[in-house]
Amino acid sequence: MLKDCLSTFSTRFQDGDKPLKNSNFYSSFFQAAQVDPTRPCLHLTQDGLWTYSRLLDRIQRTAAVLRQLDIDRGQRLLVQVDKTPENLVLYLACLQVGAVYVPINTAYTADEVAYFLQDAQPELFVHRPEDSERLASVCSQVTTLTLDAGGGHGTLTYAVDAAAPDDLICHREDDDLAAIVYTSGTTGRSKGAMLTHANLSTNAVSLRDYWGWQADDVLLHALPLFHVHGLFIALHCALLSASEIYFLDRFDPGKVLQAMPACSVMMGVPTFYTRLLDHPGLTRSVTDHIRVFISGSAPLTEQTFTAWEERTGHRILERYGMSETIINTSNPLQGERMPGTVGFPLPGVEVRIADEAGEVLASGEVGGIEVRGPNVFKGYWRMPEKTLEEFRSDGFFITGDLGTIDEHGRVSIVGRAKDLVISGGYNVYPKEVEKLIDEIPGVSESAVIGLPHADFGEAVVAVVVPTGDPLSLQTIRDGLKEKLASFKQPKWVINVDVLPRNTMGKVQKNELRQIYNDLFSGQ
Ligand code: AMP
């Protein structure tokens, strides 16, 4: 059956008879995968091995189901599921039929999901079976299916099992949307970054070449699939080369170390590296087979970089990206990997440092990092004004990060203009948390900051002004429980009489960060 579909591939074009260049990223993956579909693809912790043939078969059956549901080009699929092979299948099938993939973190509460449903207006919402009750009240207006590896009646898996593979790859232009990735905004609500097929393809090809990907590389994948890091950056390199992937459902240091000797590339957030350093099983011999360790999504400290090198002999390659641009810069594969820097702009990507007015600054000066290139997103979903605000007239995107470029062209990040807290690799926007804390009885006002933390990188801390008695951490967390994903909730609460403010009335968070900087240093 699969062989038949593959053999018809070259003659099946959706728009007219003539073969057109199909910019659908799925088409590039398919071409790599169908060269030898018997190749191993996913090594799973529990369920053995998937070959590329099995992956393609499941994708094509899922594509058939999506088409039965009238999911077509440009329509959105909102997905809040655990990391499983079926999740990967759903993503790739969504691309195959030309729909737009919209992944969200499984930690989001029903209130938060209601916002994404209202904003993305998906034609289909896929969630975990165990969330049916929790989400029932918010998803009555949308077609909903559950993704269940067991495949009970009424689930997406059940429909996929019953469907015949559909090999038709939807024709997509460079500029057509492939995904919307929600990133929090300073206004507190998430913004949907619209990524095109060209964004995905050009960045994947660039990274494959820059990091020297070969078909025989084996990826150690322990990142989640609802974020660009795990979904695009890590996976696309492997999928474009039809490489093997050790596909761990989550990061578990013991399981990562078990898989490591069979792998050649690992990508992770800095927390992965600090947690592995805490594990006695991390030795030189366990990392022997690894060609490169890559880190990103949050700052990698020089201490971690050095400790990793001392323990394993490997210098971690740090790179810099974001939901809106996938990857911007990377330390080199060959040549000096400098701790504390995020390396050079990828080929075709321009990076500059500018002041608030957009005036380009000299080398070494600190300013806003701005980026232009084929990796830069199309804009924020249904937020034209916000999009306009974040782009210069010459097409540079204002990232909101602060940094410098040295005389050799190396970029370093020194801070975040947008006040973002990154805890365990996840973004937390203080304003969203503050708004909800301020609603808790007994709170007069609050300021949420990120403080250095050995495990999380930064820990979310709430500085509150109580109306009466001091408030405990438990009171604050109880007040947020139903409203906010747990990674966004404070790890500590500090009660103060007043918040420090400048003459314009703005809370001086730098001051708070300075005062409480060492809060977690003894832990
Ligand atoms: P996200 O959109 O979730 O990928 O978050 C993007 C933000 O993560 C960037 O704007 C940076 O502030 C931060 N980030 C990503 N990579 C690095 C890095 N290597 N060093 C420091 N910050 C980083």
Side-chain angles (χ1 to χ4, degrees):
M1 175 86 75
L2 181 62
K3 204 155 179 287
D4 288 348
C5 337
L6 300 183
S7 63
T8 59
F9 167 65
S10 57
T11 57
R12 299 211 60 194
F13 294 96
Q14 198 160 21
D15 296 327
D17 330 291
K18 275 191 279 150
L20 304 165
K21 173 186 168 269
N22 192 350
S23 298
N24 192 329
F25 178 76
Y26 178 79
S27 165
S28 310
F29 156 69
F30 180 79
Q31 282 172 37
Q34 55 103 38
V35 170
D36 178 6
T38 63
R39 279 177 68 88
C41 174
L42 302 176
H43 295 269
L44 307 175
T45 334
Q46 274 113 25
D47 190 26
L49 174 73
W50 280 40
T51 59
Y52 273 92
S53 157
R54 178 162 175 196
L55 182 66
L56 288 172
D57 179 61
R58 297 303 292 177
I59 294 167
Q60 293 184 344
R61 287 172 194 272
T62 307
V65 173
L66 294 179
R67 287 196 166 117
Q68 283 160 20
L69 291 167
D70 286 332
I71 306 292
D72 204 347
R73 59 185 73 194
Q75 295 181 325
R76 274 91 45 216
L77 217 85
L78 186 73
V79 178
Q80 188 189 35
V81 297
D82 288 326
K83 180 183 175 184
T84 58
E86 287 75 19
N87 178 191
L88 173 59
V89 164
L90 183 59
Y91 162 57
L92 291 167
C94 177
L95 294 187
Q96 188 194 329
V97 304
V100 181
Y101 191 71
V102 191
I104 56 171
N105 191 331
T106 43
Y108 284 127
T109 65
D111 279 5
E112 288 164 314
V113 171
Y115 166 75
F116 294 116
L117 284 166
Q118 175 268 319
D119 191 62
Q121 300 277 309
E123 273 64 33
L124 176 65
F125 174 37
V126 181
H127 62 72
R128 303 183 288 197
E130 64 266 35
D131 287 337
S132 295
E133 209 173 304
R134 183 174 76 88
L135 297 174
S137 63
V138 299
C139 57
S140 55
Q141 305 294 316
V142 63
T143 308
T144 303
L145 279 174
T146 58
L147 191 67
D148 180 358
H153 192 75
T155 67
L156 178 61
T157 318
Y158 185 83
V160 170
D161 286 341
D166 177 346
D167 66 336
L168 185 67
I169 299 176
C170 178
H171 183 85
R172 299 276 71 193
E173 300 286 343
D174 277 353
D175 208 32
D176 285 329
L177 288 197
I180 297 175
V181 179
Y182 276 96
T183 153
S184 299
T186 39
T187 51
R189 277 302 193 185
S190 288
K191 305 186 292 275
M194 298 190 289
L195 292 158
T196 65
H197 283 274
N199 292 146
L200 303 194
S201 298
T202 53
N203 213 239
V205 168
S206 213
L207 293 177
R208 180 193 65 190
D209 297 345
Y210 206 76
W211 294 338
W213 269 84
Q214 304 292 331
D216 62 358
D217 265 320
V218 181
L219 175 69
L220 208 174
H221 193 292
L223 290 157
L225 289 188
F226 50 72
H227 185 268
V228 286
H229 195 166
L231 185 61
F232 302 148
I233 298 156
L235 269 182
H236 285 181
C237 284
L239 294 177
L240 268 191
S241 306
S243 306
E244 286 178 55
I245 302 165
Y246 275 74
F247 195 75
L248 276 54
D249 50 10
R250 61 193 179 83
F251 177 78
D252 172 314
K255 290 192 176 128
V256 166
L257 289 168
Q258 234 177 340
M260 204 173 273
C263 299
S264 62
V265 179
M266 187 179 99
M267 299 193 201
V269 294
T271 312
F272 281 18
Y273 294 98
T274 52
R275 291 203 181 163
L276 286 167
L277 279 164
D278 283 342
H279 197 289
L282 180 75
T283 59
R284 259 175 200 252
S285 66
V286 115
T287 65
D288 252 4
H289 193 244
I290 297 280
R291 184 172 69 75
V292 58
F293 286 102
I294 301 173
S295 174
S297 289
L300 179 77
T301 64
E302 298 202 28
Q303 291 91 319
T304 305
F305 180 94
T306 308
W308 192 266
E309 187 174 17
E310 279 170 9
R311 186 93 158 261
T312 70
H314 291 273
R315 288 170 78 78
I316 300 171
L317 185 156
E318 188 174 6
R319 90 308 178 274
Y320 160 51
M322 57 200 308
S323 303
E324 291 93 334
T325 62
I326 322 183
I327 294 285
N328 298 315
T329 71
S330 172
N331 271 278
L333 182 69
Q334 314 293 345
E336 181 71 334
R337 296 177 199 164
M338 292 249 296
T341 84
V342 290
F344 303 98
L346 291 181
V349 176
E350 297 166 85
V351 178
R352 71 185 183 194
I353 305 294
D355 66 14
E356 277 186 30
E359 208 57 48
V360 178
L361 301 177
S363 146
E365 282 191 66
V366 174
I369 301 179
E370 300 188 357
V371 182
R372 183 166 71 179
N375 58 321
V376 175
F377 74 133
K378 201 171 168 170
Y380 292 111
W381 171 252
R382 292 186 173 162
M383 288 187 179
E385 284 106 35
K386 190 82 207 152
T387 304
L388 218 58
E389 270 172 35
E390 313 268 327
F391 279 88
R392 301 283 180 205
S393 55
D394 58 2
F396 272 84
F397 170 58
I398 305 163
T399 63
D401 290 313
L402 299 173
T404 59
I405 303 182
D406 73 10
E407 69 276 22
H408 307 292
R410 271 182 204 275
V411 178
S412 299
I413 300 173
V414 299
R416 290 184 295 275
K418 288 179 188 165
D419 199 23
L420 172 75
V421 179
I422 301 184
S423 190
Y426 295 128
N427 290 358
V428 182
Y429 281 86
K431 206 151 188 171
E432 182 185 19
V433 188
E434 286 159 9
K435 218 170 121 239
L436 293 170
I437 291 180
D438 291 352
E439 287 170 16
I440 297 173
V443 175
S444 161
E445 60 173 343
S446 64
V448 165
I449 53 174
L451 293 178
H453 188 283
D455 198 18
F456 296 106
E458 283 182 320
V460 178
V461 171
V463 183
V464 297
V465 179
T467 51
D469 290 336
L471 294 148
S472 68
L473 178 62
Q474 197 55 49
T475 308
I476 300 294
R477 288 185 70 99
D478 285 348
L480 299 175
K481 201 165 68 196
E482 298 301 324
K483 298 184 176 137
L484 213 55
S486 65
F487 70 86
K488 296 183 191 169
Q489 295 179 22
K491 302 265 181 308
W492 199 272
V493 169
I494 297 163
N495 285 267
V496 294
D497 291 336
V498 284
L499 295 175
R501 287 196 146 85
N502 69 9
T503 45
M504 303 297 290
K506 285 191 196 300
V507 175
Q508 297 301 282
K509 289 195 175 176
N510 278 345
E511 211 172 292
L512 290 173
R513 283 189 208 102
Q514 261 169 20
I515 299 170
Y516 299 111
N517 190 56
D518 299 331
L519 188 68
F520 298 104
S521 64
Q523 294 187 354

